[in-house]
Amino acid sequence: FDSFDQNTYYSIEFLYTAADTYVTFYPHIASSQLVLSDSTPYVITDFYGKVMKQGVGRDILLLGLKPGKYFLNIQNRKEQFIKR
């Protein structure tokens, strides 16, 4: 490891736009549906990253999903929930 050099380094600049509202959801252990606090695009993936369901809305019906752990991808973040 070299000692700290006096050079200046810059990263690539990028544009980031934050969402107006932070979308939440409930319940975290669900049997039939998830309810989002606001309508937003979503993707549900399984533990291995396979897309199981996607769309836009507030109410997400979980019909067809087997019981287990899943991830809800909303607003560029991944939230875990359990389907019973």
Side-chain angles (χ1 to χ4, degrees):
F1 184 139
D2 293 331
S3 63
F4 179 76
D5 64 25
Q6 298 297 320
N7 295 326
T8 302
Y9 298 96
Y10 295 94
S11 63
I12 297 172
E13 183 178 334
F14 66 94
L15 178 63
Y16 174 79
T17 303
D20 292 337
T21 58
Y22 184 81
V23 176
T24 59
F25 76 98
Y26 70 91
H28 291 269
I29 300 175
S31 57
S32 61
Q33 78 175 29
L34 298 177
V35 179
L36 305 177
S37 60
D38 198 4
S39 182
T40 192
Y42 65 86
V43 176
I44 293 177
T45 60
D46 66 8
F47 183 77
Y48 301 102
K50 180 180 176 189
V51 174
M52 305 303 291
K53 191 178 234 7
Q54 61 184 357
V56 177
R58 269 186 93 154
D59 298 322
I60 304 172
L61 296 178
L62 302 178
L63 302 173
L65 292 182
K66 294 179 181 179
K69 290 183 182 179
Y70 292 91
F71 294 101
L72 173 64
N73 298 285
I74 52 175
Q75 293 184 318
N76 294 322
R77 69 181 200 277
K78 185 185 291 188
E79 301 283 347
Q80 184 174 307
F81 72 93
I82 296 173
K83 163 70 163 68
R84 285 201 179 192

